[in-house]
Amino acid sequence: MTAPGASVAQRARGKARLGARLRNGRTAISDLHMSGSAKLLFPRAKDALQAVYLNSSGGVTGGDAFEVEARAEPGAHLVMTTQAAERVYRALPAETGRVETRLTLGAGARLDWLPQETILFEGGALDRRLNIDMAGDARLTACEALVFGRHAMGEVLHDLRLRDRIDLRIDGRLAFADRLHLHGDAAETLAHPAIANGAGAVATVIHAAPGAATLRDPLREMLPETAGLSALSAELLVLRLVSVDGYTLRGHLAPVLRRLSGAELPRPWMI
């Protein structure tokens, strides 16, 4: 209960829902909803429907809540990115920012989920979930990147609350589940040789498609020593990449995403 006269902090809310459908040989919008601080922009693209997500509140802090839902219907090709890197700012001790993303791919559909990095600041609190459901003959390339403070500014995170979850289901079967939990001194945890060996940025890339494993060896030749790539099945590749900072991470990550998508990255990546 709030005491009389006490101020109540304003919290950001946002929901975005997008459906993509194949129509006359091209992918077009079939469903669109935006509310609160969640906005979608649609730049012109030649071969796919491209959507750019924007959080107009300027970042995420404790008590904020955002939901993104994207669906590529059978045969459609949807590319999603963000206008800029997301920022997770200091939160009050009892509050956590929440971000939930749900992706659905129908038969023969293709979805490239390519948000720019999420930058975590000292005192930040984030609970983030990525849930993906896809048909067995669909094609998915998904990337999530985290940057633990701005290295060039000398930022070190000693107070962080982070829960990050990824679940991928193919034809209803759980094919991949990933969990990251950092609570407290993130710099101390990341310094451990078996965790990140002092790295300040990490990316996870998932590529699920028929024959995906054939790309394993060519991709490994592109990676630095701080990356690992595994073929979990003939249809599923998972890559983890750590770097000293976000700039270096992006330099290694961008060529991999271009190879997996077979196209240039969305224009916001170049700005």
Side-chain angles (χ1 to χ4, degrees), residues 9 12 50 53 68-69 85 87 89 92 106 125 131 134 140 155-156 158 170-171 178 237 247 255 261 271:
Q50 190 174 120
Y53 174 79
V68 179
E69 181 180 347
R87 289 164 171 78
Y89 296 115
L92 294 174
N131 293 300
M134 62 183 290
L140 168 78
E155 295 175 352
V156 180
H158 297 294
I170 302 177
D171 285 335
D178 190 50
L237 290 175
Y247 180 81
S261 66
I271 299 175

Side-chain angles (χ1 to χ4, degrees), residues 195-197 199 201-203 223-229 239-244 248-249 252:
I195 298 177
N197 199 30
V202 59
L223 298 176
E225 293 182 355
T226 57
L229 172 67
L239 179 153
R240 188 93 75 196
L241 171 64
V242 298
S243 296
V244 63
T248 307
L249 182 79
H252 293 306

Side-chain angles (χ1 to χ4, degrees), residues 13-271:
R13 299 285 187 271
K15 292 184 179 181
R17 184 179 69 245
L18 173 63
R21 175 182 299 171
L22 191 63
R23 182 182 300 158
N24 298 325
R26 296 179 61 86
T27 301
I29 297 171
S30 62
D31 181 30
L32 178 62
H33 169 83
M34 294 178 281
S35 64
S37 299
K39 311 296 181 185
L40 289 171
L41 308 174
F42 297 94
R44 292 183 179 180
K46 182 185 299 184
D47 301 320
L49 174 63
Q50 190 174 120
V52 180
Y53 174 79
L54 166 64
N55 173 8
S56 63
S57 72
V60 179
T61 187
D64 292 351
F66 295 91
E67 296 180 22
V68 179
E69 181 180 347
R71 183 179 69 258
E73 298 178 18
H77 182 190
L78 175 61
V79 179
M80 295 194 69
T81 188
T82 53
Q83 188 182 52
E86 186 63 277
R87 289 164 171 78
V88 179
Y89 296 115
R90 179 181 295 274
L92 294 174
E95 295 187 334
T96 300
R98 302 185 186 280
V99 177
E100 183 170 357
T101 303
R102 296 183 297 276
L103 309 177
T104 305
L105 292 76
R110 177 175 169 184
L111 199 157
D112 300 326
W113 173 250
L114 305 174
Q116 298 188 65
E117 305 89 345
T118 294
I119 303 174
L120 302 156
F121 287 79
E122 176 74 358
L126 176 66
D127 187 332
R128 187 173 69 166
R129 299 182 182 186
L130 173 60
N131 293 300
I132 308 168
D133 287 280
M134 62 183 290
D137 63 347
R139 296 177 58 86
L140 168 78
T141 300
C143 174
E144 290 285 6
L146 294 168
V147 178
F148 298 91
R150 296 169 298 181
H151 181 78
M153 304 291 289
E155 295 175 352
V156 180
L157 305 190
H158 297 294
D159 178 19
L160 178 68
R161 288 175 283 139
L162 172 66
R163 291 176 63 88
D164 199 19
R165 287 159 281 186
I166 301 174
D167 288 305
L168 168 66
R169 288 177 172 81
I170 302 177
D171 285 335
R173 175 185 59 84
L174 184 63
F176 177 71
D178 190 50
R179 302 292 185 267
L180 174 62
H181 184 199
L182 289 174
H183 194 155
D185 194 328
E188 181 180 4
T189 301
L190 294 170
H192 196 286
I195 298 177
N197 199 30
V202 59
T204 301
V205 179
I206 303 169
H207 182 66
T214 61
L215 294 173
R216 182 192 61 186
D217 292 341
L219 286 173
R220 281 179 173 171
E221 294 178 1
M222 301 172 61
L223 298 176
E225 293 182 355
T226 57
L229 172 67
S230 296
L232 301 188
S233 70
E235 294 78 31
L236 180 58
L237 290 175
V238 176
L239 179 153
R240 188 93 75 196
L241 171 64
V242 298
S243 296
V244 63
D245 57 22
Y247 180 81
T248 307
L249 182 79
R250 180 175 287 218
H252 293 306
L253 187 58
V256 171
L257 296 178
R258 291 191 189 99
R259 178 65 182 270
L260 290 174
S261 66
E264 284 298 318
L265 292 172
R267 192 167 187 83
W269 277 71
M270 312 305 168
I271 299 175

